Amino acid sequence: EVQLVETGGGLSQPGGSLRLSCAASGFGVSSYYMSWVRQAPGKGLEWVSFISTTGTTYYADPMKGRFTISRDNSKNTVSLQANTLRAEDTAVYYCARAQYNVWPNVFVDFWGQGTLVTVSS
Amino acid sequence: QSVLTQPPSMSGAPGQRVTISCTGSSSNIWAAYDVHWYQQVPGTAPKLLIYDNTNRPSGVPDRFSGSKSATSASLAITGLQAEDEADYYCQSYDSSLSSWVFGGGTKLTVL
């Protein structure tokens, strides 16, 4: 059974940092694009970042230079290092497995349950 | 303001058919990038409903179907059931942003 479990959310002050982790089971993270998608309270979905099977990383513009996605194939985990946090980064962060048939038509085929990040003083 | 435009809300009675639209522009849907659809029941994680415009993952009822024209995409739900009450999101790729984008979401109420 495919499962994604996020940890690491919590409260951070503006300008602070958090590291989110995602433990995968039922498949190998090295074989799929892995992604983070976030959802601010009461708002819609917003793509954050992808890491490809070859390690290439992609970021949405608001996250570039502040967020870093990485993968540990030996532990079957994906992480998101979020630095210089802002109030507008407050959201539930979902770890997600993604794939595509024809690039760049990537879609998410499985989602974790999410972890809440709150940025507030 | 989302790059992909969806109606904020829709409603239908049990058994009815509803169609949710997703309108794009020349840098996404009009550029022939595929559209994917997700269902999110309040308080839960999203779930993939339709990928590559028209394909249903295993386990998704055939009451759900997707279509795409040159300028927009649609999600149709037939035989509406109470359990279909949820938020629905379309998603595609935008070449001007070089980014994957979601629609603003449509809240579907089953009357």
Side-chain angles (χ1 to χ4, degrees):
Chain A
E1 178 191 7
V2 172
Q3 197 168 15
L4 295 168
V5 179
E6 303 96 334
T7 55
L11 177 64
S12 172
Q13 292 192 335
S17 298
L18 281 175
R19 185 175 182 85
L20 309 182
S21 292
C22 171
S25 57
F27 73 101
V29 297
S30 61
S31 299
Y32 287 84
Y33 271 57
M34 296 301 296
S35 177
W36 290 90
V37 177
R38 72 183 184 182
Q39 186 171 35
K43 303 296 184 182
L45 301 171
E46 180 183 25
W47 171 68
V48 173
S49 178
F50 278 126
I51 183 167
S52 77
T53 54
T54 59
T56 303
T57 57
Y58 306 83
Y59 299 94
D61 281 346
M63 293 72 167
K64 285 179 181 174
R66 299 190 302 126
F67 289 16
T68 303
I69 190 171
S70 61
R71 184 179 64 212
D72 186 330
N73 295 337
S74 66
K75 295 181 179 178
N76 213 31
T77 59
V78 178
S79 297
L80 184 71
Q81 178 68 41
N83 297 331
T84 319
L85 285 165
R86 308 165 179 164
E88 54 265 36
D89 294 320
T90 294
V92 173
Y93 285 72
Y94 293 102
C95 175
R97 189 180 82 172
Q99 55 181 309
Y100 65 93
N101 291 310
V102 177
W103 181 261
N105 298 301
V106 181
F107 59 92
V108 172
D109 70 342
F110 199 80
W111 302 71
Q113 287 305 302
T115 186
L116 176 62
V117 170
T118 303
V119 183
S120 174
S121 55
Chain B
Q1 193 77 358
S2 300
V3 171
L4 303 178
T5 301
Q6 300 179 234
S9 63
M10 297 190 69
S11 62
Q16 282 190 331
R17 170 190 169 104
V18 295
T19 301
I20 299 173
S21 63
C22 176
T23 303
S25 67
S26 59
S27 58
N28 43 71
I29 296 177
W30 301 6
Y33 293 113
D34 289 339
V35 176
H36 321 290
W37 291 90
Y38 304 89
Q39 177 194 58
Q40 185 178 32
V41 174
T44 70
K47 168 189 168 184
L48 179 65
L49 271 186
I50 299 288
Y51 66 96
D52 294 349
N53 307 314
T54 60
N55 297 301
R56 272 189 316 276
S58 172
V60 174
D62 59 7
R63 302 187 295 105
F64 295 90
S65 63
S67 63
K68 182 173 176 281
S69 69
T71 60
S72 66
S74 296
L75 172 71
I77 310 172
T78 58
L80 204 57
Q81 299 180 3
E83 67 204 48
D84 299 332
E85 188 160 288
D87 296 320
Y88 293 84
Y89 294 90
C90 61
Q91 177 243 314
S92 186
Y93 178 77
D94 190 280
S95 58
S96 67
L97 298 173
S98 296
S99 179
W100 290 267
V101 292
F102 289 92
T106 299
K107 182 177 182 60
L108 176 64
T109 300
V110 180
L111 302 171

